[in-house]
Amino acid sequence: MRRCAAVLLILVLAVPPSLFAADEPTLAGYSPRSSQAEREWESKFRVIPDPANLREDMRRLSARPHHVGSAYDKDNADWILARFKEWGLDAHIETFDVLFPTPKVRMLEMIEPTKYTAKLEEPGVAIDPTSNQKAEQLPTYNAYSIDGDVTAPLVFVNYGLPEDYEQLDRLGISVKGAIVIAKYYHSWRGVKPKVAAEHGAIGCLIYSEPKDDGYTRDVVFPQGPMRNPDGVQRGSVMDFASASPGDPLTPGVGATADAKRLSLKEAKSLSKIPVLPISYGDAQPLLAALKGQMAPDEWRGTLPIPYHVGPGPAKVHLKLEFNWDIKPVNDVIAKIPGSIAPDEWIIRGNHHDAWVNGAEDPVSGTSPLLEEARALGLLLKQGWKPRRTIIYAAWDGEEPMLLGSTEWVETHAEELRQRAAVYINTDGNDRGLFQMGGSHSLEQFINGVARDIDDPETKMTVWQRSHLSQIANAKPEDRKELRQRADLRIEALGSGTDFTGFLDHLGIASLNLGYGGEDEQGIYHSIYDDFYWYTHFSDTEFVYGRALSQTIGTSVMRLADAEVLPYDFVDFADTVEKYTKDLEKLLADKQEEIRERNQELDEGVFKATFDPRRPTVAPAHEEVPPHLNFAPLENAEEMLTHSATRYQKALSQKQAGLSEIQIETLRALNAKLIDSERKLTNEDGLPRRPWYKHLLYAPGVYSGYGVKTVPGVREGIEQKRYSEAEQEILRVSKALEQESALIDSAAQLLEQAGH
Ligand SMILES: [Zn+2]
């Protein structure tokens, strides 16, 4: 109901046509005159990014392996610094010292019923020159796995998620004392050893199943884009979601040279059991040697073997030892000081480190960042003066787990809390649709930017293309909203890339953006993610790289130049209303599911379906979850909608006169707006994970990168801690009430301005 009212309001409050510059609407937060000037500068900006430069920057940055601590990682940092300076920006490198383990011993063998020694090796291919840089490549491994030497029967656990272990319980299979083998994907990889350890496993293997990113989806590399039989996905298994990302030895504080460090034994975010990633070439003989029950239908992949669960008779020996070294990470930071509001910061970042050569991850995002910086440098020389301070950051150490960005955020926490208005992140880029994730107070803003960017393939705007493709793929019941709502909904942010410290720890409104979705890829975190792969199988003409530069550069400028920061709370309130309904439905569904299962147990359904040759264990009778009181959340959310509408109206009515409002008033107003995301945090943090302070967005403890919205309440319900969920409803409601009060006070400032 309220949603339709909000849409109407937007139409009614639109600026009268006489104020339009050409036929373009006045930008939110701008007076008509400054909006016109801004649009002119933005148009000048958008013609600058050049695909030829993007290609050359990628070739240079991905020419050699450049993981944390490597020679070329430092070389790249110095090269990026020199570029920033060459373009006239005030730039420096900020270095932190972090724990970064690399493999010393990696051994995996099957000792029963037959012998097999895993290769654990990705061979170079002749046609792809950088794949042969053996001496500089990090071996295949999972960073922050503990050392270990274990021998045990093997059990296949599907994707290794909590619900997979419920299935195993039903099959009467325990992983206690076993080594598990799980498939990659469907959760962040570190969740797999975490859940395995919680169920008593003593070791964990993770393999890349061809059904997910191998030959089932397309031809394998180098003839095609997919993972070949020897390709392995490296990656971090640091338990960042339950503890914190960044350096495990300095949680919560910057890993500066003189920081107090935990001992390795005290570090909370290492895996609990040894874990190793393997290729499907190495996984196949192990899986083929499993017997016992057949794996459930949905668990089976497309290797030419019957998928059994085990345990055994396959017995494997896994031995891992790491060099637990402290290594430097080098963040490259460039600053453009603001001319009117230097203490309000717009920050933009993408990482520069990779697991190996990393042309796609991260360089396809780093190169567009560099083109933006070059273009902004040119505009500065032509007389453009951004109102706010702009900071460009090329982060190091993202791959091991957001090391460079987290340490920078922790080091500068105090300043950032006061000054940072928005953080914009990218992490790589591909060909396809514009993908928007972020804080919902920026939903309207980023929709506006997307309406001004042309899609390289269809020539419609990237917003139109996303809108129509969402209609094409929508469920019938969602199409009406898609056609009526002014803005496309943006995804809430989980984690897995460098916005985490900004958003989750400090409560800085953030966006995570990129293009993609049109090409299959199976080279993630392997030696084959390189220039050859990218220039044959992804954005080969670098036109989506240019679109990314245009999109992010426009966003940065528009945020930096607005008289009033373009946050909007109507879409935000609408999202909170949706989340409240989602939570109510989550609980109702759970109650219904358990009620139904209990009834089936009483009716004898499980006795009737029991097959003595394939014995299963009936689930236990469970207590139906109690009703929770969502009223405080509903009340807070209504208050929020009211305040959001009031603010939108006040801003719209004052738009024509924004340039006459006193600078002191604007400063006070913008300070309130900057504070609006902070109000959604709580200093005590989420239950059992105090580093995570945002009450609306967090990575899931059992999903990792996947977001949990209103995490305290949602995870309380999911993990059956109902009284905790009820407490969290109160905490979230209180924060929303304070948010409402803040928005009201911002509206009041505007209403009174100029009187
Ligand atoms: Zn990345």
Side-chain angles (χ1 to χ4, degrees):
M1 291 303 188
R2 221 163 292 133
R3 186 167 305 144
C4 297
V7 172
L8 249 181
L9 197 69
I10 289 165
L11 298 176
V12 172
L13 295 177
V15 179
S18 59
L19 295 176
F20 286 1
D23 55 352
E24 291 174 321
T26 304
L27 295 168
Y30 284 79
S31 63
R33 193 183 325 134
S34 55
S35 174
Q36 194 178 343
E38 173 66 17
R39 284 195 180 278
E40 282 163 20
W41 279 117
E42 288 179 5
S43 301
K44 284 185 192 167
F45 171 88
R46 285 198 289 271
V47 298
I48 301 174
D50 181 351
N53 288 341
L54 293 167
R55 185 186 180 91
E56 179 50 26
D57 288 354
M58 177 180 283
R59 194 202 54 70
R60 145 79 220 189
L61 289 166
S62 68
R64 286 167 51 191
H66 53 108
H67 52 271
V68 167
S70 67
Y72 206 64
D73 183 64
K74 178 67 167 62
D75 199 81
N76 272 345
D78 290 338
W79 185 80
I80 293 169
L81 177 69
R83 296 287 77 71
F84 281 155
K85 286 185 172 168
E86 180 186 317
W87 300 325
L89 309 184
D90 172 17
H92 66 278
I93 287 182
E94 200 163 333
T95 304
F96 300 100
D97 299 311
V98 297
L99 179 71
F100 179 59
T102 52
K104 190 154 69 181
V105 177
R106 296 173 312 141
M107 210 263 285
L108 171 66
E109 55 181 2
M110 178 160 65
I111 53 173
E112 287 172 20
T114 49
K115 300 247 186 269
Y116 175 76
T117 304
K119 287 200 289 188
L120 310 179
E121 185 67 39
E122 297 179 295
V125 291
I127 198 168
D128 173 7
T130 67
S131 70
N132 292 290
Q133 296 165 329
K134 283 284 145 210
E136 290 178 78
Q137 293 166 354
L138 267 181
T140 54
Y141 78 116
N142 286 131
Y144 305 101
S145 159
I146 56 164
D147 291 341
D149 186 348
V150 290
T151 302
L154 194 65
V155 179
F156 174 51
V157 296
N158 195 29
Y159 291 106
L161 309 180
E163 54 266 36
D164 295 324
Y165 288 87
E166 280 171 27
Q167 279 260 48
L168 287 170
D169 286 344
R170 298 286 322 282
L171 295 172
I173 294 167
S174 162
V175 301
K176 205 162 248 146
I179 294 174
V180 302
I181 180 164
K183 295 182 284 189
Y184 259 117
Y185 299 115
H186 288 261
S187 77
W188 169 65
R189 72 183 78 73
V191 168
K192 301 166 197 287
K194 176 186 172 68
V195 180
E198 287 173 359
H199 286 82
I202 59 169
C204 178
L205 304 173
I206 315 177
Y207 84 98
S208 298
E209 162 61 49
K211 190 178 179 182
D212 293 320
D213 69 2
Y215 54 70
T216 311
R217 305 189 69 93
D218 202 340
V219 176
V220 303
F221 191 74
Q223 285 76 30
M226 304 313 293
R227 206 174 292 276
N228 61 37
D230 298 310
V232 179
Q233 183 189 137
R234 288 161 189 74
S236 177
V237 292
M238 183 196 288
D239 190 5
F240 76 98
S242 330
S244 57
D247 175 30
L249 303 184
T250 59
V253 299
T256 50
D258 56 354
K260 238 184 96 189
R261 285 178 165 74
L262 300 177
S263 70
L264 198 54
K265 274 204 180 70
E266 294 168 302
K268 285 204 170 65
S269 53
L270 309 184
S271 75
K272 299 288 181 286
I273 55 176
V275 44
L276 185 71
I278 59 175
S279 65
Y280 57 82
D282 276 337
Q284 185 172 330
L286 310 184
L287 290 167
L290 287 173
K291 291 279 182 302
Q293 302 225 40
M294 279 302 291
D297 261 356
E298 330 72 74
W299 290 29
R300 299 173 198 171
T302 50
L303 290 167
I305 55 168
Y307 283 73
H308 290 276
V309 176
K315 195 176 192 182
V316 296
H317 174 207
L318 171 67
K319 187 174 178 197
L320 297 174
E321 279 175 34
F322 300 95
N323 306 300
W324 293 94
D325 297 332
I326 302 285
K327 291 279 162 88
V329 290
N330 297 298
D331 293 337
V332 194
I333 310 287
K335 207 179 215 177
I336 303 173
S339 58
I340 296 174
D343 290 341
E344 296 167 12
W345 294 357
I346 308 300
I347 308 167
R348 187 290 190 247
N350 192 103
H351 67 102
H352 69 77
D353 69 299
W355 276 118
V356 196
N357 296 72
E360 197 279 342
D361 182 6
V363 176
S364 60
T366 324
S367 309
L369 176 143
L370 292 176
E371 274 298 271
E372 291 157 44
R374 183 177 73 83
L376 294 182
L378 285 173
L379 294 193
L380 288 169
K381 286 181 189 130
Q382 294 170 29
W384 172 62
K385 288 193 182 66
R387 183 182 184 97
R388 302 191 167 79
T389 293
I390 295 171
I391 294 175
Y392 264 67
W395 307 117
D396 196 358
E398 188 270 357
E399 293 297 359
M401 198 43 75
L402 325 179
L403 304 176
S405 60
T406 302
E407 298 313 319
W408 192 80
V409 161
E410 290 175 345
T411 301
H412 301 283
E414 224 17 75
E415 269 178 300
L416 287 167
R417 265 191 210 105
Q418 290 188 15
R419 296 176 179 166
V422 176
Y423 173 67
I424 304 180
N425 192 70
T426 60
D427 186 350
N429 195 55
D430 298 290
R431 206 171 57 86
L433 298 174
F434 185 43
Q435 293 163 350
M436 305 183 277
S439 298
H440 288 85
S441 51
L442 297 172
E443 183 170 277
Q444 191 191 67
F445 167 77
I446 195 61
N447 269 266
V449 173
R451 288 187 179 93
D452 289 335
I453 307 296
D454 293 326
D455 176 68
E457 284 168 358
T458 62
K459 310 298 176 201
M460 47 176 89
T461 71
V462 301
W463 189 91
Q464 280 174 312
R465 193 177 182 197
S466 288
H467 183 227
L468 293 172
S469 86
Q470 283 188 24
I471 288 174
N473 297 315
K475 295 187 206 129
E477 64 268 27
D478 294 336
R479 278 192 205 119
K480 190 169 164 201
E481 178 187 287
L482 271 168
R483 291 193 170 111
Q484 287 185 350
R485 196 173 189 268
D487 296 318
L488 295 173
R489 291 187 181 278
I490 64 174
E491 296 287 326
L493 296 182
S495 180
T497 183
D498 290 309
F499 59 75
T500 309
F502 292 91
L503 180 65
D504 296 337
H505 189 53
L506 296 186
I508 295 164
S510 298
L511 289 166
N512 189 48
L513 307 168
Y515 290 86
E518 284 188 316
D519 297 304
E520 289 280 359
Q521 51 176 279
I523 42 74
Y524 179 56
H525 292 182
S526 75
I527 64 168
Y528 313 115
D529 175 2
D530 59 14
F531 189 67
Y532 180 89
W533 181 88
Y534 197 87
T535 52
H536 283 80
F537 301 112
S538 188
D539 179 24
T540 53
E541 306 299 318
F542 291 86
V543 288
Y544 279 95
R546 176 173 58 195
L548 188 73
S549 274
Q550 292 169 332
T551 310
I552 312 291
T554 301
S555 303
V556 166
M557 293 176 73
R558 200 170 282 186
L559 287 164
D561 289 338
E563 280 126 330
V564 179
L565 280 161
Y567 297 87
D568 159 80
F569 303 103
V570 173
D571 279 1
F572 171 71
D574 175 49
T575 306
V576 172
E577 181 192 354
K578 184 173 181 296
Y579 289 166
T580 305
K581 287 192 181 133
D582 289 350
L583 290 170
E584 290 169 346
K585 184 170 185 304
L586 175 71
L587 180 64
D589 288 352
K590 198 140 191 148
Q591 289 167 331
E592 181 49 36
E593 177 197 320
I594 292 173
R595 227 177 262 128
E596 169 67 24
R597 193 161 60 224
N598 288 346
Q599 190 181 341
E600 289 181 16
L601 281 165
D602 295 343
E603 288 167 342
V605 166
F606 293 93
K607 259 190 210 123
T609 53
F610 184 83
D611 174 352
R613 293 202 186 159
R614 294 172 193 80
T616 50
V617 180
H621 239 276
E622 237 184 279
E623 207 168 313
V624 177
H627 292 287
L628 300 179
N629 180 15
F630 288 99
L633 204 49
E634 288 165 354
N635 289 329
E637 170 256 300
E638 264 180 46
M639 208 185 289
L640 192 63
T641 303
H642 188 265
S643 309
T645 310
R646 177 181 168 190
Y647 176 78
Q648 191 182 55
K649 187 170 162 214
L651 182 62
S652 175
Q653 283 174 346
K654 281 284 148 62
Q655 182 153 34
L658 275 187
S659 48
E660 279 105 68
I661 295 180
Q662 283 189 338
I663 212 121
E664 280 313 309
T665 308
L666 284 178
R667 185 171 304 165
L669 175 60
N670 284 312
K672 284 179 192 293
L673 294 170
I674 288 176
D675 207 33
S676 66
E677 195 82 14
R678 310 291 189 273
K679 280 276 181 287
L680 304 173
T681 64
N682 184 295
E683 205 26 55
D684 298 333
L686 296 175
R688 291 168 298 285
R689 39 179 183 156
W691 189 89
Y692 289 91
K693 303 201 187 293
H694 207 297
L695 297 175
L696 293 191
Y697 317 116
V701 170
Y702 291 102
S703 62
Y705 294 170
V707 66
K708 294 289 174 181
T709 53
V710 205
V713 182
R714 184 176 295 274
E715 294 198 324
I717 296 171
E718 287 175 351
Q719 295 164 27
K720 302 176 188 170
R721 287 190 299 270
Y722 300 108
S723 62
E724 184 176 294
E726 193 126 45
Q727 285 304 309
E728 288 296 303
I729 289 176
L730 293 175
R731 234 160 48 115
V732 175
S733 309
K734 189 130 200 239
L736 292 175
E737 283 166 23
Q738 289 168 356
E739 178 82 346
S740 246
L742 180 83
I743 297 168
D744 274 330
S745 74
Q748 195 182 14
L749 254 186
L750 269 170
E751 287 157 0
Q752 291 170 352
H755 287 291

